[in-house]
Amino acid sequence: MARKRSLKIDEEKVVMAKRRYCYSFEEGDGTNKKLLGGKGAGLCTMTQIGLPVPPGFVISTEANVDYFEQGSQFPEGLMDEVHEYMEALEKKTGKGFGDPKNPLLISVRSGAALSMPGMMDTILNLGLNDDTAQGLIALTGDERFVNDAYRRFLQLFGKIAMGVPDAEFDAIFEETKEKYHATVDTELSAQALAEVVQRFKELIKKRTGRPFPQDPWAQLFLAIEGVFKSWMGKRAVDYRRQFNITPDMAHGTAVNICTMVFGNMGSDSATGVGFTRDPGTGENVLYGDYLINAQGEDVVAGIRTPRPLRELRTDMPEIYKQLQQLRTTLEKHYREVQDFEFTIEKGKLYMLQTRNGKMNAWALCKTSVDMVKEGLITEEEALLRIEPDMLEQFLHRRIDPDFKQEPVAVGISASPGAATGKVVFDADRAEQLGNQGEKIILTRIETKPEDIHGFFAAQGILTSRGGKTSHAAVVARGMGKPCVSGVEGLDINYELREARVNSVIIREGDIVTIDGSTGSLYLGAVPMLDPELPQDLATLLEWADKKAKIEVWANADTPEAAVRARQHGAKGIGLCRTERMFNEADRLPLMRNMILADTPEERKRWADKLIPFQRQDFLEIFRAMNGLPVTIRLLDPPLHEFLPSIEELITDINRLKEFSQIMHALEELPGTVAMLDPELNKLLPSLEPVTRDFAEVRARGLDQKLLKEKEQVLKRVRVLYEHNPMLGNRGVRCGISYPEIYDMQIQAIFEAAAMALREKIDVRPEIMVPNVCSAMELMWVKPRVEKIHKEVEKRYHVKIKYKFGTMIEIARACLRAGRIAEVAEFFSFGTNDLTQGTFSFSREDAENKFLPIYNTEGILKDNPFEILDEAGVGRLMQIAVTEGRQTRPDLKIGICGEHGGQPQAIEFCHKIGLNYVSCSPMRIPIARMAAAHAAIKEEKGLEVIRSKAL
Ligand code: PEP
Ligand code: MG
């Protein structure tokens, strides 16, 4: 035993010793994003498919994981390997790291498996110090360029590796610009930039107590460590939590070390970002922004407003052509739209990054359909590109085209959709107001990753700087929120908390509307229209339906909802909740009378009065769903929900009693007054008309009649009162206690079906009994259904086909499914109640009482009312499916709880063999896509990534 153990340890040692951390761009496996991070994998792939990438290497994510595992210590051997790879880089470039004569400068960039704002830290120009800067000036003869590179390095290094706040560097830079009357940074002279360099070095010393390290190796060590640490930075951790990014999906960040190339070496140099297709519209054109004589961060941070890439065709025609070819190469290789960064150094193009392009749902659908038509991808690949939840973006509103008012300013259409809200100038305040339920437009000069919480809180984003690829634009598009960027006429003053545009002042809290599809900014709220689904989506959903094994039905209670459901492609109604039909003003009094009736005969009398209303509703729904099944659930909620509350009644009764007393006092008033002072009698005639009218009310006994009625209702409400109404006399229990109610509903269903048949409508009613826990309950209801069915068929001379089934929403029903299936022809899982019962969590209270604590304490990962609890609730469902089908192999099974529209739950339902999911009409496109994904993933044996889409 002991021997075995030591052998094991030795093996581990061997494995540890063998672990390598560095991979050159020529070596790294571009498909292994988990090891190399997305950026590193892209650099390796691009190098290996022959694209121009500056030489470099990747330190793997494993190094970062080991760093934390070893108590924030560099893993043994890491820096030796880094030295080795740096030497190779020196050889490849013919430059020396720290060599003043010919200095090698590098960029150090983070990059995890998933792109993750909050951790996107990049240090450029590492290797610069006072000596190498002088050497570089001698070499290039361009002092301005070198000083500019040096100050950039100092700021990024100071921020990431030494923790000096970014804003303090910005403030010095802005002061210098003001001092030299420069509006843009390119107007600063070499001398002015040298001043900036000096002040930045002083700032680092003052802030950290340590001088800026002149030794390039010390710089490299600190930079790698800074990137490592950023993985556990607050913003990155928050982001991972928000989007459920588990270690399985991204564990640690890689560090990418790449030879510097310069886009700021004059007018034949530039830097830019591109998309292989337009990410806003999906059009198949090269798209992006660039800036001449600038470094990468200028474009991404939106510090200067860049120019559209199409203008590069005239500026640098050869490079433009090269980019066009490159776009085809990238798409052929990745079979996906790419978002890339490039730099042009003295007329030579270099690729610095590529990744799958984030697009809005419109562009995603268009590119998916186009790429299938172009033969680039298959229909299945096209479907898998679209996270079902993304389709939610089609549900965004847009400005009514009839609205003709001119916008107050126009910027760049950075992310489509329109939004109205209060202007708020910082992310913290946006978060605070957003939490209070306010609608917010986050308004910034430019945004940075630390503003992410403001994005979550806001309806839309507005910036005065930056293009379509600025931080604001990219993040907003990913979230499907409208964004207008680069509104140059918008002069934002954070201190005064106001923005000026032309002569208009917009103060914090003022309402504005932005239209991210046109880039327009309007004052006040503007009329909006609900969205329509684009044709490309219809095509994709047709492909989805071909693949899907599970059908998508709708929860629809009204004819309008049924029409919408059908338009969105529902294959039936899986849940028509009849109780909502009783709440309308003309029906509620009848319903109340029926509930308050003392005898079954009286109850039936009132129930009969409700039949015409119910029948009409059902008839209209049958018309809308011609040819498709309509599952109608018999009354479910406890009856007291239709009655006034005890408190309400007591208040009314007290008021009526007070009225009676006041009236009595008024009638007695003349005598009382005379008793006090006969002189006052003169005043009394003026009171007479009032008392006369009230006296009549009393004489007719109106107040007493009402009082009696209210007291009777109160008595009945008290009788019906239950301590736990959701576990009380509801659903089938109520149906059995008051059979007249179910009889009335069953009659209305069959009569509506008979009338529809006479109109030649293909009706397929399915009668569903709620809250069943035993087959015996169904056996009690079924003969009544059969009896009424026969009567209606006879009366209308028609044959009505129907199904009789049950909700499965009680744990016992799952465990007795085999027996229940002897009576029920179909099951529909009511996972709202089933979750409530399985957890014994009140669904009305859990979400705002203890669930948040359970989530933050990690006791429960998700809210089980939102994300189906596969382990518990799912297990019960599985038992019900298996045992139900053992009894009745053709048992039709669906789900109609809220989870029915949730992609992850749909996948689960597919796996356990349900026939359909039923969800709200607006979620049908999402569910259809999710149903297809489930089938394709199963077929291809693909692993499911459980995360919210972004
Ligand atoms: C359910 O319980 O899942 C269900 C659909 O019924 P309701 O939400 O109406 O109780
Ligand atoms: Mg229920």
Side-chain angles (χ1 to χ4, degrees):
M1 188 69 198
R3 221 174 71 84
K4 253 192 173 172
R5 211 178 134 76
S6 70
L7 189 71
K8 190 160 180 278
I9 291 165
D10 286 342
E11 274 168 9
E12 269 168 18
K13 267 193 192 154
V14 172
V15 173
M16 289 291 282
K18 268 198 200 150
R19 182 167 246 184
R20 69 182 277 201
Y21 293 114
C22 295
Y23 299 84
S24 73
F25 294 165
E26 287 81 6
E27 290 169 336
D29 171 6
T31 60
N32 195 349
K33 284 192 192 174
K34 260 187 94 175
L35 182 72
L36 302 177
K39 207 172 284 163
L43 286 164
C44 292
T45 300
M46 286 197 296
T47 304
Q48 291 161 32
I49 62 174
L51 299 186
V53 178
F57 63 97
V58 189
I59 303 173
S60 75
T61 55
E62 285 175 350
N64 188 201
V65 173
D66 290 353
Y67 169 82
F68 284 116
E69 267 176 15
Q70 292 163 28
S72 297
Q73 297 290 327
F74 270 44
E76 211 188 309
L78 171 61
M79 278 316 279
D80 294 340
E81 249 189 274
V82 169
H83 270 267
E84 212 179 283
Y85 276 81
M86 284 298 292
E87 267 170 34
L89 216 54
E90 286 179 319
K91 272 208 194 96
K92 224 175 275 172
T93 57
K95 297 179 181 185
F97 193 47
D99 176 3
K101 284 195 226 79
N102 190 14
L104 168 65
L105 302 188
I106 53 173
S107 65
V108 178
R109 311 175 81 185
S110 66
L114 299 179
S115 115
M116 206 175 292
M119 211 209 52
M120 284 181 7
D121 292 320
T122 297
I123 298 177
L124 301 176
N125 310 329
L126 190 137
L128 272 177
N129 56 22
D130 294 350
D131 293 342
T132 51
Q134 285 313 314
L136 205 61
I137 293 172
L139 212 65
T140 59
D142 191 344
E143 190 181 348
R144 191 195 173 282
F145 155 71
V146 176
N147 291 349
D148 190 42
Y150 200 4
R151 65 97 189 168
R152 287 171 194 272
F153 169 50
L154 285 165
Q155 175 158 2
L156 291 167
F157 183 81
K159 177 175 115 177
I160 297 163
M162 302 193 76
V164 180
D166 211 16
E168 297 188 18
F169 291 105
D170 284 344
I172 292 174
F173 196 63
E174 288 306 314
E175 269 172 41
T176 316
K177 268 163 80 177
E178 251 169 57
K179 177 175 163 192
Y180 290 100
H181 308 292
T183 44
V184 288
D185 46 5
T186 43
E187 285 169 15
L188 285 178
S189 66
Q191 181 47 38
L193 289 166
E195 267 178 53
V196 175
V197 166
Q198 191 50 36
R199 289 188 64 190
F200 278 7
K201 281 193 284 192
E202 284 161 14
L203 173 67
I204 291 175
K205 175 111 193 274
K206 193 171 118 214
R207 266 312 205 134
T208 64
R210 289 182 288 163
F212 156 73
Q214 293 281 335
D215 174 8
W217 287 103
Q219 292 172 2
L220 183 54
F221 181 89
L222 288 172
I224 295 170
E225 188 168 48
V227 172
F228 277 173
K229 281 186 177 152
S230 75
W231 176 256
M232 290 310 283
K234 185 178 176 316
R235 279 181 284 132
V237 172
D238 284 352
Y239 188 86
R240 290 199 291 276
R241 189 176 309 124
Q242 173 82 20
F243 291 100
N244 273 337
I245 297 173
T246 59
D248 226 26
M249 295 148 77
H251 201 21
T253 177
V255 184
N256 300 289
I257 296 189
C258 188
T259 314
M260 279 301 304
V261 284
F262 296 97
N264 53 345
M265 289 195 88
S267 57
D268 58 351
S269 300
T271 188
V273 286
F275 278 85
T276 54
R277 299 184 192 223
D278 184 333
T281 63
E283 223 186 316
N284 188 3
V285 290
L286 179 61
Y287 177 92
D289 300 315
Y290 72 104
L291 275 172
I292 297 267
N293 197 12
Q295 265 195 341
E297 82 228 31
D298 299 342
V299 183
V300 180
I303 289 163
R304 275 157 51 190
T305 302
R307 294 162 59 188
L309 206 47
R310 76 186 112 78
E311 289 180 15
L312 195 70
R313 193 201 300 255
T314 37
D315 274 351
M316 300 182 186
E318 275 310 310
I319 298 275
Y320 188 78
K321 218 193 278 165
Q322 216 181 325
L323 280 174
Q324 283 285 17
Q325 282 160 359
L326 203 138
R327 145 174 121 91
T328 318
T329 314
L330 279 175
E331 281 199 352
K332 269 213 176 109
H333 180 83
Y334 283 104
R335 304 159 79 82
E336 183 52 276
V337 175
Q338 293 296 295
D339 159 3
F340 56 91
E341 284 181 24
F342 64 91
T343 282
I344 301 157
E345 182 186 276
K346 292 191 171 296
K348 180 160 171 27
L349 175 70
Y350 292 96
M351 295 294 282
L352 300 182
Q353 180 179 320
T354 190
R355 59 183 172 188
N356 291 348
K358 277 186 183 161
M359 278 168 274
N360 64 49
W362 284 262
L364 205 56
C365 286
K366 176 162 172 51
T367 51
S368 289
V369 173
D370 286 355
M371 280 160 53
V372 170
K373 286 185 185 153
E374 291 159 26
L376 209 57
I377 57 173
T378 63
E379 285 182 12
E380 287 173 4
E381 283 172 313
L383 293 169
L384 287 180
R385 290 179 79 222
I386 297 165
E387 268 300 313
D389 274 327
M390 264 212 117
L391 302 183
E392 189 108 55
Q393 292 181 24
F394 291 113
L395 312 175
H396 285 312
R397 303 162 81 211
R398 64 198 165 100
I399 291 182
D400 185 340
D402 290 340
F403 176 74
K404 294 286 181 247
Q405 203 171 299
E406 285 298 310
V408 64
V410 178
I412 291 167
S413 52
S415 179
T420 298
K422 286 185 176 168
V423 167
V424 174
F425 291 113
D426 72 85
D428 290 345
R429 198 161 159 66
E431 185 180 44
Q432 190 192 350
L433 292 173
N435 286 343
Q436 290 165 17
E438 295 273 11
K439 304 248 181 291
I440 306 295
I441 302 294
L442 177 65
T443 307
R444 305 278 299 160
I445 296 171
E446 62 191 285
T447 62
K448 292 192 175 182
E450 47 264 45
D451 294 325
I452 192 83
H453 54 302
F455 280 72
F456 290 133
Q459 265 57 47
I461 319 296
L462 172 65
T463 68
S464 56
R465 282 193 201 154
K468 289 201 186 194
T469 41
S470 64
H471 175 264
V474 172
V475 175
R477 268 204 303 275
M479 290 186 179
K481 296 200 174 185
C483 175
V484 172
S485 65
V487 185
E488 296 204 339
L490 189 70
D491 181 11
I492 298 175
N493 186 325
Y494 290 140
E495 259 158 40
L496 296 178
R497 303 203 83 77
E498 64 175 38
R500 282 169 191 265
V501 55
N502 304 322
S503 55
V504 182
I505 300 178
I506 303 171
R507 298 208 163 80
E508 189 156 62
D510 286 355
I511 305 263
V512 297
T513 298
I514 57 167
D515 184 350
S517 312
T518 61
S520 307
L521 166 66
Y522 301 90
L523 298 178
V526 158
M528 301 229 189
L529 285 190
D530 288 336
E532 298 152 42
L533 302 182
Q535 185 49 44
D536 285 322
L537 177 64
T539 308
L540 282 162
L541 290 176
E542 270 168 37
W543 296 344
D545 290 348
K546 275 195 300 188
K547 287 288 356 156
K549 301 225 165 60
I550 192 163
E551 286 189 357
V552 178
W553 294 20
N555 291 356
D557 311 331
T558 61
E560 301 76 53
V563 169
R564 208 173 322 125
R566 216 175 169 159
Q567 280 165 354
H568 287 182
K571 292 282 189 293
I573 289 181
L575 174 63
C576 172
R577 290 179 164 106
T578 48
E579 55 270 19
R580 297 197 180 155
M581 297 171 171
F582 296 121
N583 276 321
E584 283 173 32
D586 50 350
R587 307 167 186 201
L588 193 58
L590 301 176
M591 183 71 181
R592 285 185 171 171
N593 286 334
M594 179 177 75
I595 297 168
L596 294 168
D598 283 327
T599 61
E601 294 71 31
E602 199 189 338
R603 200 171 304 117
K604 175 147 180 22
R605 224 164 26 84
W606 289 109
D608 284 346
K609 287 191 203 290
L610 279 165
I611 286 187
F613 293 105
Q614 284 258 280
R615 197 171 49 207
Q616 189 59 26
D617 290 332
F618 295 144
L619 179 58
E620 285 175 36
I621 291 175
F622 289 149
R623 283 183 187 136
M625 299 305 288
N626 190 356
L628 297 176
V630 177
T631 315
I632 298 169
R633 180 176 76 181
L634 301 180
L635 196 71
D636 180 44
L639 295 182
H640 76 85
E641 281 191 15
F642 300 97
L643 298 174
S645 70
I646 291 181
E647 294 76 33
E648 237 175 277
L649 285 165
I650 290 178
T651 313
D652 288 355
I653 288 168
N654 287 342
R655 276 171 59 199
L656 283 168
K657 283 183 176 164
E658 275 167 24
F659 174 81
S660 220
Q661 283 165 2
I662 292 166
M663 283 318 303
H664 185 74
L666 275 177
E667 280 162 22
E668 297 291 314
L669 198 60
T672 315
V673 169
M675 190 169 71
L676 290 171
D677 180 355
E679 273 301 293
L680 285 175
N681 254 348
K682 281 182 225 144
L683 288 172
L684 286 180
S686 58
L687 275 173
E688 213 213 289
V690 183
T691 48
R692 200 191 319 123
D693 288 350
F694 283 127
E696 197 188 322
V697 170
R698 273 167 60 76
R700 283 162 55 200
L702 288 180
D703 56 335
Q704 288 309 311
K705 196 168 157 239
L706 193 58
L707 182 64
K708 214 167 139 207
E709 261 175 42
K710 295 261 179 198
E711 280 171 342
Q712 262 174 354
V713 175
L714 178 64
K715 211 165 118 199
R716 188 85 183 125
V717 171
R718 283 204 160 118
V719 170
L720 289 172
Y721 173 82
E722 292 176 303
H723 288 278
N724 264 325
M726 293 308 270
L727 303 179
N729 200 5
R730 62 173 286 213
V732 69
R733 305 188 280 273
C734 184
I736 292 170
S737 310
Y738 305 105
E740 303 76 20
I741 302 178
Y742 273 16
D743 287 355
M744 174 272 287
Q745 292 199 296
I746 296 162
Q747 187 175 333
I749 294 169
F750 285 132
E751 286 185 358
M755 289 159 84
L757 282 170
R758 284 184 175 172
E759 293 177 19
K760 303 263 175 292
I761 286 165
D762 176 5
V763 272
R764 302 178 187 195
E766 309 207 340
I767 295 177
M768 180 156 79
V769 185
N771 253 277
V772 163
C773 67
S774 155
M776 296 305 285
E777 291 166 324
L778 284 180
M779 285 177 189
W780 193 95
V781 179
K782 199 173 178 197
R784 301 184 87 93
V785 174
E786 284 166 348
K787 180 168 166 278
I788 298 168
H789 176 245
K790 252 198 214 113
E791 282 166 10
V792 173
E793 278 197 335
K794 205 162 148 205
R795 221 167 344 111
Y796 283 79
H797 308 290
V798 285
K799 283 268 159 242
I800 306 167
K801 277 201 212 134
Y802 73 101
K803 279 193 163 54
F804 179 74
T806 180
M807 299 275 296
I808 298 284
E809 51 185 343
I810 292 180
R812 190 177 190 281
C814 294
L815 302 172
R816 298 293 295 152
R819 173 89 168 111
I820 290 173
E822 287 173 14
V823 200
E825 291 167 280
F826 67 89
F827 285 176
S828 178
F829 286 108
T831 44
N832 305 335
D833 273 310
L834 192 55
T835 301
Q836 167 168 268
T838 306
F839 281 86
S840 276
F841 286 176
S842 152
R843 55 197 257 207
E844 270 71 26
D845 305 310
E847 288 179 345
N848 53 18
K849 295 280 187 330
F850 54 85
L851 264 183
I853 310 169
Y854 266 50
N855 294 147
T856 48
E857 289 299 311
I859 295 168
L860 276 181
K861 196 166 140 284
D862 302 303
N863 169 358
F865 293 102
E866 205 181 299
I867 307 284
L868 184 73
D869 162 48
E870 291 176 18
V873 176
R875 178 132 187 261
L876 285 169
M877 291 169 73
Q878 207 151 7
I879 292 171
V881 172
T882 311
E883 298 188 4
R885 291 223 173 107
Q886 266 162 12
T887 303
R888 192 188 284 266
D890 63 346
L891 183 72
K892 190 166 69 167
I893 310 180
I895 174 176
C896 63
E898 288 310 303
H899 306 90
Q902 203 269 332
Q904 206 170 306
I906 293 171
E907 189 173 321
F908 178 77
C909 293
H910 163 95
K911 275 198 201 134
I912 62 169
L914 299 204
N915 302 88
Y916 67 87
V917 295
S918 187
C919 59
S920 84
M922 292 306 260
R923 286 200 72 83
I924 286 171
I926 296 169
R928 287 167 71 189
M929 186 59 77
H933 277 209
I936 299 169
K937 282 177 184 167
E938 185 184 58
E939 211 175 281
K940 291 188 183 286
L942 289 176
E943 203 189 317
V944 188
I945 293 184
R946 304 243 183 259
S947 81
K948 287 186 192 168
L950 183 84

